[in-house]
Amino acid sequence: MNNVFVTRPIPQNALDHLRREATVEVWPGPLPPPYEELRRRVATCDGLLCLLTDRVDATLIASAPKLRVISQMAVGYDNIDVAAATSRGIPVGHTPGVLTEATADLTWALILATARRVVEGMRFIDAGQWQTWDPLGLLGMELHGATLGILGLGRIGAAVARRAVGFGMRLLYTGPREKPDVAAGVGAIYTDVDTLLHESDVVSIHCPLTPATRHLINAHALARMKPGAILVNTARGGIVDHAALLDALRSGHLGGAGLDVTEPEPLPADHPLMGEDRVIITPHIGSATVRTRARMADMAVSNLLAGLRGDPLPHCVNPDVYTR
Ligand code: GLV
């Protein structure tokens, strides 16, 4: 049987399925395997089932001579050196689609909680400050009629946009190219990044982390945002320059931020963003529903087993491995 390394316990059904088909070793801890440990384990493996917390770089791939498939249980794969895998002829799988709705829901949880100061309200009560109904207390942003700017109208961006229709929001979007069909369905208008930042009351990030999007939201971009606007990020922390974000919040230019992703993860407990009143941070839980995580694990196992059999992966990020 093929040897497979799984870098953390994953939903049981998927694991049971995998165990029927391969000899499986699961890293048991609640934390990711340290890099050198991962490298050591993968060195003798035919297949790797990994997570976005694992650095799968060229060195690791080079030290795994038998490796025939890398299957990531996530849609994003910026932690994997895909070019290095491709040059070895190793297909890389991921889990698109199944986490779209869960991540869009979490995005809306952050938009609503940030705009309406939900977490601040709870802290206010916890601090014993709730004395009366206050006509001037905890005033937030009204979303109805406000403009939502979506950076990246892919699967998740489009699901966020669909929900915005119910909130009566004006919709703008940007990205490398227009998506006329998707945009028409939700009444979204295509703009350049600059216009989107300038006109949106809420900016929500839904693009992958690539060299081109790293720190896309830097001091210059934040300065272009409307005074009082809200930034929400459920994509990847590296897209936002956190030092610049902190400045924009502390100067009062931005009205708030809702972050499900940060750089690094976890953000150190003493990081200044942690203590900011108008910032809500969740620990990268966009896809964290029982059903979605089960589907992601099933999909990751299907990709892995296809790779071990020598079949094309159902969801492959580097299909050029099959045409080289
Ligand atoms: C989560 O961030 C994912 O990429 O699946």
Side-chain angles (χ1 to χ4, degrees):
M1 288 231 268
N2 289 304
N3 287 321
V4 170
F5 185 59
V6 182
T7 62
R8 218 91 65 77
I10 61 169
Q12 196 60 44
N13 272 350
L15 205 49
D16 290 345
H17 180 189
L18 187 56
R19 283 202 162 109
R20 289 193 292 274
E21 310 281 338
T23 304
V24 180
E25 187 190 0
V26 180
W27 180 255
L31 297 178
Y35 176 77
E36 283 308 328
E37 189 65 41
L38 177 62
R39 195 151 88 101
R40 203 172 66 73
R41 308 273 173 145
V42 177
T44 53
C45 277
D46 305 282
L48 169 66
L49 196 154
C50 56
L51 307 180
L52 53 84
T53 42
D54 304 310
R55 176 157 58 95
V56 182
D57 61 10
T59 310
L60 185 138
I61 292 169
S63 50
K66 289 168 59 192
L67 193 63
R68 303 204 305 284
V69 55
I70 298 170
S71 177
Q72 163 116 321
M73 189 181 131
V75 65
Y77 47 86
D78 47 277
N79 56 310
I80 300 175
D81 189 333
V82 176
T86 306
S87 69
R88 274 270 315 277
I90 299 174
V92 177
H94 70 149
T95 62
V98 288
L99 47 76
T100 299
E101 304 300 334
T103 307
D105 285 348
L106 197 272
T107 304
W108 270 95
L110 288 177
I111 294 174
L112 285 163
T114 309
R116 299 304 304 273
R117 306 177 66 177
V118 171
V119 175
E120 273 178 273
M122 286 194 66
R123 286 199 197 117
F124 181 79
I125 293 174
D126 287 348
Q129 290 174 323
W130 187 16
Q131 294 185 353
T132 181
W133 185 88
D134 180 355
L136 297 176
L138 285 167
L139 306 186
M141 177 195 290
E142 181 140 334
L143 292 172
H144 187 90
T147 299
L148 172 62
I150 297 190
L151 275 170
L153 196 68
R155 279 178 289 256
I156 297 170
V160 169
R162 283 198 298 279
R163 286 155 175 75
V165 174
F167 283 89
M169 296 185 82
R170 173 175 175 250
L171 277 167
L172 304 177
Y173 77 101
T174 193
R177 62 193 163 279
E178 285 195 51
K179 306 261 181 97
D181 295 346
V182 184
V186 290
I189 300 163
Y190 186 69
T191 70
D192 56 25
V193 181
D194 210 50
T195 307
L196 180 137
L197 294 172
H198 196 55
E199 292 192 10
S200 299
D201 299 291
V202 179
V203 172
S204 191
I205 302 175
H206 301 289
C207 53
L209 175 62
T210 65
T213 63
R214 172 163 291 283
H215 287 191
L216 179 67
I217 304 300
N218 55 16
H220 175 76
L222 290 161
R224 286 293 295 161
M225 285 176 68
K226 269 186 171 178
I230 286 169
L231 180 72
V232 171
N233 188 7
T234 55
R236 284 293 182 269
I239 298 166
V240 176
D241 176 343
H242 287 30
L245 175 61
L246 189 65
D247 288 346
L249 288 159
R250 287 196 169 162
S251 71
H253 176 61
L254 275 202
L259 310 174
D260 186 46
V261 288
T262 58
E263 190 178 67
E265 289 179 9
L267 210 54
D270 61 353
H271 191 285
L273 274 174
M274 290 285 210
E276 281 297 302
D277 264 354
R278 303 296 294 263
V279 177
I280 295 176
I281 301 179
T282 49
H284 204 150
I285 54 171
S287 66
T289 71
V290 174
R291 185 168 69 174
T292 290
R293 286 285 166 84
R295 288 178 169 176
M296 290 166 71
D298 288 344
M299 209 164 177
V301 167
S302 300
N303 281 329
L304 189 90
L305 292 175
L308 292 177
R309 285 192 306 268
D311 292 342
L313 309 197
H315 298 280
C316 187
V317 307
N318 56 345
D320 38 327
V321 284
Y322 302 118
T323 51
R324 287 166 353 126

